[in-house]
Amino acid sequence: MSPPRPADAARPPRLLLPDSPALIAGFGRGTLLTPDGELFAGPAIEIGRRLRDMPPPMVVHAPATAKRLGIGAFPACDLLELFAFCLPARPVAPTPRGMAIALERDAPADEEAMAAMLPDLATILLRHLAAGRNAPLNRDAAMLAAKLRAEVEWPWADSVLAALGQPDARPSLDPLKVWRRLPDWEEVAPAPPPAHHPVSPADARRRLAEILGEGAEQRPQQADYASAAAGAFQARDAKGAPNLVLAEAGTGTGKTLGYVAPASLWAERNGAPVWISTFTRNLQRQIDQETARLYPEPNERRRRVVVRKGRENYLCLLNMEEAVGAAGMAGILLPLALVSRWALATRDGDLMGGDFPGWLAELFGTHSVLPLADRRGECIHSACGHYKQCFVEHSIRRAKTATLVVANHALVMVQAALGGGEDGRPLRLVFDEGHHLFDAADAAFSADLTGGETAELRRWLLGAEGGRSRARGLARRLEELIGDRPDLLLPLEEALQAARALPGQGWPNRLSDERDEPRGATEAFLRAVRGQVLARARDEDAGYGIECDLHPLAPTVAEAGEALRDALARLQAPLQLLRDRLNARLDDEAEELEVGDRIRIESTCRSLERRALMPLGAWGAMLGMLREPPRPPGVRPDYVDWFALERREGREFDCGMFRHHLDPTQPFAMAVAAPAHGVLITSATLRDQAELSEDDPEAAWRAAEARTGASHLASPAIRAAVASPFDYATRTRVLVVEDVNKSDPAQVASAYRALFTASGGGALGLFTAVRRLRDVHARIAQPLAERGIPLYAQHIDAMDNATLVDVFRAEETSCLLGTDAMRDGVDVPGRSLRLLVFDRVPWPRPSILHRERRTHLSEGQPKAHDDAIARHRLRQAFGRLIRRGDDKGVFVLLDRSCPSRLLAGLPAGTTVRRLGLADAVAETRLFLDED
């Protein structure tokens, strides 16, 4: 690399690129273009040999490049690192084509042209950096690049310094200390009570028209939907009786903007935010992106729309400070530098599914990113030196004055269980993907008395007990708050002593090794539970997770359960006393407490409640059930309890007792929906199409009300349904392959390979088990690669789901394998998704919990209960296929045993054909090749 000329302040700095070849990798082959224009395309072994005699090549995603070539890691000038430095918090799919699209360049079709484009992409990035070299974001960028040059010999350092016009900048650690440059949040007066001005259907239609703008495509269904959604934004007439609207909007209706219209109008008129809740982080991001139509100006959008998640999703500045202190020793200086650049540019500090580049963890390892979030619940709130800059605290305060808060079902339900939590109770709620409410409530209102959960509580209370962990225990987190006050110290010390009854380090080995004695009451109980489960396992359960009923209860379990119940009570009592005495300070010392101490006491009490007292109370109640006689057959329970031994890939990893509500929509209705004034529950699949009947037209709606909790509320729901505008009969094909044995991994893999090849990529493969996904991936990745079809997979590629979907969307010839998370909420319009293959009927997993629900919630029709679940999952999967009116696609099910009644749940207009694999492949190729 030749040195740059001194920068002239009056002219843009001269750009400088490394003297590196450009490398594009296929599977087992590659294309190499030298700066002199010499081009080589050939096998990976020859690429590897040539790289040994060249400077580090210019690539996009070095680990993926090495993996595709089938060679070991090699030094590289990774354009993703340069992108993260120059354009932090900007989205990019981590592939050459994805980067070209992100930089608004037409992606070449062949690898030779793509290799030639890599230096151009680097030049674009450096020009962008040079143009903004005086921007606040880049104030310390040169010092950071100089640090990377001096400490890790970052290959882009000289190029970055030249673009910044500071080739001789001195290295400094200060740019990593981003908390010094982040803005403080400010306390404001409490908001006045909201008004109750309603939103009429006509108002909602007008607001929708304003959002869409003049000249927008006329979509009568969308306006009808917005009009119906306005019913949730009327004044409430009675306490505990929210205005509830169940609105089904077929795919393509445009339901997001349809409910954003009345929601935003109500919030603006009444001075309170509307909370929009969805099931996954990926869906949160999609909804947030849609709001750009309402608030196109970025600063206004940031003020008006706030994304809220649990604390474990955000960058913790205290963890960042500790990582910076150990950056040299830990060898994570480069990823920390890129995180620091992002932290100055991010909208809200969200590490999981927001504007953070999820591929950084794949470049540098999850250990470089995950520890930067507070995933262990160790926040010390106002005692933290970075409290005023904290991203979470910023989001909480912005949410209070926002127009729309985009949250997820899990956070909304946990907050409700805590009486509103940090955000308070929303008056108006929109539940998108409402068909997931049953599952979300099931997870939120359940309790697991397991080794993993109890060991995590011990770690939260006691902190690190040896080893390399830097976990902070309760005493350390509260030391400044408690000081030397005996009224607080005494219950704290008593609780910490009692916590030693919880599993300590090495508990999994002691659980399974009969030669090693359990330590403490919890381990003794888990050992006894494991014995009962194994004693009642079926032979065919070998290697997989197994479970058994509580009764008849083994004597050893009864004895150990009683001892554990007493031990947990000894832990719960001092923690309750500590919480009560801390709460008492808020009243007793009201005139003396500083604002920071008051906030910290409130936060500490909430943490004690959520992290310790709530689970301890649930565990005590569960153990109390062991004293009760068995429930008589046929009697409907409120809860379902069972024991289970959990295994992963044939290895035991946990054991314990589990409790779920028989009907989790009941606590959802009482804790979440009833306190609100208005609730909209919406989805493309609220009703089961097969339940639509002329004889009983209300049956499908009654089932939808049961699945969403509407049947537990005092007032009846308003029902609305808007059909999809898509022509499924013309734009789709549904094929059931009848000559593939779904139990033969080789046949299933061959079918996937043949179908993916026929479509030329653009295929999503769905599986009902991770094990089968891994097996198929191992068998077809290489053959597809040889045909120029890259294959990505959930649970195999280190990228998070959102990044995987971004890559799949950008690469029209790629294929993606996934499980449940890819079945729901993936939005990939266009040719990038033109084929969907499901490995088998997604029946509910046969379990004790499912057994009880199909017995007591099926109205005497257990078979229909199972059918409805499978039908719903198939329809959700089918819904991924057509996202726009001009999309076309093929849906294939590799399960000849699929009964026709399940496919009756697909959208109206679809017809199902049963045929052999060869015919299915030919049909797929012919249909997708048609203009």
Side-chain angles (χ1 to χ4, degrees):
M1 180 180 291
S2 55
R5 284 182 274 181
D8 186 338
R11 294 182 300 172
R14 177 188 171 197
L15 298 183
L16 184 69
L17 290 180
D19 296 324
S20 298
L23 174 61
I24 298 293
F27 277 84
R29 58 180 176 77
T31 301
L32 198 61
L33 179 65
T34 70
D36 297 330
E38 179 185 353
L39 179 69
F40 172 78
I45 189 169
E46 180 61 21
I47 294 287
R49 188 189 67 76
R50 291 182 178 234
L51 288 179
R52 289 196 291 268
D53 301 322
M54 292 181 174
M58 197 177 296
V59 301
V60 176
H61 202 313
T65 301
K67 181 180 177 181
R68 285 192 175 191
L69 291 171
I71 63 178
F74 55 87
C77 298
D78 198 330
L79 277 162
L80 285 177
E81 296 173 6
L82 183 63
F83 191 102
F85 194 100
C86 298
L87 297 176
R90 285 272 294 269
V92 59
T95 66
R97 178 182 172 85
M99 184 169 290
I101 293 171
L103 296 178
E104 300 179 348
R105 292 296 182 270
D106 293 331
D110 59 83
E111 294 182 354
E112 290 83 358
M114 185 62 78
M117 179 178 273
L118 293 191
D120 296 337
L121 298 180
T123 300
I124 294 170
L125 290 170
L126 292 171
R127 282 178 181 162
H128 191 283
L129 186 64
R133 65 188 185 279
N134 296 320
L137 171 66
N138 296 321
R139 189 185 75 186
D140 299 328
M143 290 190 294
L144 183 60
K147 179 75 173 176
L148 294 175
R149 176 173 61 183
E151 298 290 335
V152 298
E153 299 181 353
W154 189 42
W156 291 111
D158 287 332
S159 300
V160 165
L161 290 167
L164 292 169
Q166 301 183 55
D168 300 319
R170 301 182 65 179
S172 172
L173 198 63
D174 286 347
L176 292 172
K177 301 174 182 177
V178 293
W179 49 88
R180 296 179 176 178
R181 294 188 54 195
L182 293 175
D184 290 359
W185 52 262
E186 296 181 356
E187 287 289 2
V188 296
H196 298 282
H197 303 298
V199 174
S200 71
D203 292 336
R205 289 175 181 269
R206 281 192 293 270
R207 169 52 68 95
L208 177 63
E210 292 170 5
I211 295 173
L212 296 175
E214 294 183 6
E217 175 189 358
Q218 294 299 310
R219 302 166 81 175
Q221 296 98 330
Q222 189 177 30
D224 292 344
Y225 174 82
S227 177
F233 300 96
Q234 309 306 307
R236 187 176 70 170
D237 292 329
K239 183 178 180 180
N243 296 296
L244 176 64
V245 176
L246 293 183
E248 183 176 84
T251 305
T253 301
K255 63 180 169 65
T256 302
L257 292 182
Y259 61 66
V260 161
S264 59
L265 191 56
W266 185 91
E268 292 168 10
R269 284 181 175 178
N270 295 287
V274 174
W275 278 55
I276 301 171
S277 178
T278 191
F279 190 53
T280 65
R281 291 190 293 253
N282 195 31
L283 288 165
Q284 277 184 272
R285 184 173 69 160
Q286 290 179 24
I287 293 172
D288 177 46
Q289 290 168 346
E290 285 276 352
T291 62
R293 298 282 297 275
L294 175 62
Y295 304 117
E297 202 283 313
N299 289 329
E300 182 186 15
R301 179 164 162 246
R302 186 178 186 277
R303 179 173 61 86
R304 294 274 200 167
V305 183
V306 176
V307 177
R308 282 288 290 120
K309 301 180 181 180
R311 285 183 176 269
E312 66 278 4
N313 291 280
Y314 295 88
L315 174 66
C316 170
L317 295 174
L318 184 57
N319 286 354
M320 178 78 174
E321 181 180 14
E322 293 184 356
V324 167
M329 179 181 65
I332 57 171
L333 179 59
L334 178 54
L336 278 180
L338 300 180
V339 170
S340 71
R341 293 282 294 163
W342 166 80
L344 295 174
T346 179
R347 177 179 162 192
D348 52 18
D350 180 5
L351 284 168
M352 309 293 171
D355 55 18
F356 183 77
W359 37 262
L360 274 185
E362 197 173 37
L363 295 188
F364 303 106
T366 55
H367 67 280
S368 64
V369 175
L370 291 184
L372 298 179
D374 178 25
R375 302 181 66 81
R376 296 181 175 273
E378 296 176 348
C379 182
I380 55 176
H381 302 282
S382 61
C384 177
H386 313 306
Y387 181 61
K388 295 291 287 186
Q389 300 83 40
C390 175
F391 287 113
V392 180
E393 299 298 331
H394 267 290
S395 71
I396 291 171
R397 282 154 184 80
R398 286 172 47 226
K400 292 177 180 178
T401 58
T403 301
L404 302 174
V405 179
V406 183
N408 54 66
H409 297 346
L411 176 67
V412 169
M413 292 184 191
V414 167
Q415 299 268 49
L418 293 171
E422 296 169 310
D423 296 281
R425 288 189 183 277
L427 288 182
R428 307 283 165 168
L429 285 159
V430 175
F431 287 100
D432 201 345
E433 300 297 310
H435 59 276
H436 280 303
L437 282 177
F438 190 99
D439 292 333
D442 196 28
F445 297 106
S446 63
D448 301 346
L449 175 50
T450 65
E453 292 291 326
T454 51
E456 178 64 17
L457 178 57
R458 175 172 174 147
R459 187 215 52 77
W460 188 80
L461 291 168
L462 298 179
E465 298 179 85
R468 301 176 60 184
S469 172
R470 56 183 176 85
R472 297 181 287 268
L474 187 62
R476 182 180 167 192
R477 296 197 298 274
L478 300 187
E479 56 189 356
E480 294 181 13
L481 196 61
I482 289 179
D484 57 357
R485 298 178 54 137
D487 62 323
L488 299 176
L489 276 173
L490 196 60
L492 174 61
E493 292 172 355
E494 187 178 343
L496 298 183
Q497 183 61 37
R500 300 190 181 279
L502 301 172
Q505 292 182 357
W507 66 267
N509 293 332
R510 291 191 293 276
L511 191 63
S512 58
D513 190 347
E514 298 292 340
R515 297 167 298 179
D516 202 349
E517 287 297 318
R519 301 177 188 174
T522 311
E523 292 186 22
F525 173 72
L526 296 175
R527 170 79 70 85
V529 166
R530 178 179 180 272
Q532 177 169 321
V533 174
L534 288 173
R536 296 174 191 175
R538 298 177 298 178
D539 291 341
E540 57 265 36
D541 289 327
Y544 302 96
I546 51 179
E547 57 186 28
C548 74
D549 291 290
L550 268 57
H551 299 285
L553 192 65
T556 54
V557 177
E559 182 180 349
E562 194 67 25
L564 178 57
R565 189 166 183 252
D566 293 341
L568 295 181
R570 289 192 294 272
L571 173 58
Q572 186 177 8
L575 287 174
Q576 285 177 331
L577 184 59
L578 177 62
R579 178 204 58 189
D580 293 345
R581 287 180 176 176
L582 284 170
N583 262 327
R585 289 188 62 188
L586 297 175
D587 293 329
D588 298 343
E589 305 171 33
E591 297 179 359
E592 304 168 19
L593 283 174
E594 296 182 0
V595 173
D597 288 339
R598 174 176 289 276
I599 293 172
R600 192 172 174 208
I601 289 173
E602 292 172 345
S603 301
T604 297
C605 291
R606 280 196 299 268
S607 294
L608 283 169
E609 186 69 28
R610 179 185 176 185
R611 303 284 306 202
L613 294 174
M614 286 178 65
L616 285 169
W619 295 341
M622 292 163 66
L623 292 168
M625 281 295 299
L626 301 181
R627 294 177 168 180
E628 302 296 324
R631 175 174 48 86
V635 175
R636 174 174 169 146
D638 292 327
Y639 301 97
V640 181
D641 300 290
W642 72 95
F643 295 142
L645 177 61
E646 298 185 300
R647 292 170 171 158
R648 185 181 295 127
E649 297 180 356
R651 298 173 61 90
E652 294 181 16
F653 70 92
D654 210 347
C655 180
M657 181 178 177
F658 298 81
R659 162 170 284 192
H660 284 237
H661 283 266
L662 179 72
D663 180 2
T665 66
Q666 187 167 10
F668 162 75
M670 296 301 102
V672 183
H677 288 208
V679 179
L680 169 65
I681 299 176
T682 186
S683 168
T685 55
L686 277 183
R687 296 177 299 166
D688 185 343
Q689 295 296 309
E691 292 174 343
L692 298 177
S693 167
E694 294 183 1
D695 297 334
D696 187 3
E698 301 294 306
W701 278 118
R702 287 197 302 272
E705 289 172 349
R707 285 191 290 266
T708 57
S711 57
H712 299 299
L713 292 170
S715 297
I718 300 171
R719 302 166 176 174
V722 181
S724 170
F726 294 155
D727 182 2
Y728 288 107
T730 302
R731 308 301 298 178
T732 65
R733 294 291 184 270
V734 180
L735 311 175
V736 178
V737 176
E738 294 196 301
D739 58 354
V740 170
N741 181 357
K742 66 182 179 183
S743 299
D744 185 336
Q747 289 192 36
V748 173
S750 296
Y752 271 98
R753 184 188 67 243
L755 289 162
F756 285 7
T757 301
S759 68
L764 174 62
L766 295 177
F767 293 81
T768 55
V770 176
R771 174 177 51 84
R772 290 194 292 274
L773 180 153
R774 293 181 185 275
D775 185 84
V776 168
H777 181 274
R779 292 171 185 263
I780 70 173
Q782 186 66 30
L784 288 177
E786 292 170 356
R787 294 170 170 82
I789 301 175
L791 181 65
Y792 301 93
Q794 186 189 6
H795 305 291
I796 293 176
D797 290 294
M799 290 177 275
D800 59 29
N801 290 347
T803 305
L804 278 172
V805 173
D806 287 344
V807 171
F808 181 55
R809 186 183 293 115
E811 303 283 336
E812 284 191 358
T813 61
S814 70
C815 295
L816 176 62
L817 304 181
T819 52
D820 289 355
M822 297 298 178
R823 185 188 68 218
D824 299 310
V826 172
D827 187 14
V828 182
R831 278 186 52 79
S832 290
L833 176 49
R834 50 192 180 270
L835 170 66
L836 191 148
V837 183
F838 218 138
D839 74 325
R840 60 178 63 192
V841 172
W843 294 112
R845 187 174 72 87
S847 65
I848 290 173
L849 178 61
H850 175 65
R851 182 194 70 197
E852 295 301 310
R853 284 178 175 163
R854 78 194 296 268
T855 298
H856 298 287
L857 299 182
S858 66
E859 298 182 351
Q861 297 180 307
K863 177 182 172 182
H865 181 79
D866 291 348
D867 286 355
I869 293 173
R871 240 187 337 260
H872 174 79
R873 292 172 178 175
L874 286 171
R875 188 178 175 196
Q876 275 296 308
F878 183 88
R880 305 307 102 213
L881 197 56
I882 304 296
R883 310 301 295 175
R884 298 187 312 211
D886 59 351
D887 284 355
K888 64 187 303 187
V890 180
F891 181 89
V892 180
L893 182 62
L894 301 177
D895 191 344
R896 61 192 174 199
S897 64
C898 176
S900 298
R901 65 181 184 275
L902 298 188
L903 298 171
L906 298 181
T910 55
T911 57
V912 180
R913 295 178 58 198
R914 295 178 180 268
L915 65 182
L917 178 61
D919 291 335
V921 169
E923 174 78 9
T924 297
R925 183 180 291 111
L926 178 64
F927 180 70
L928 294 179
D929 286 346
E930 292 176 353
D931 291 333

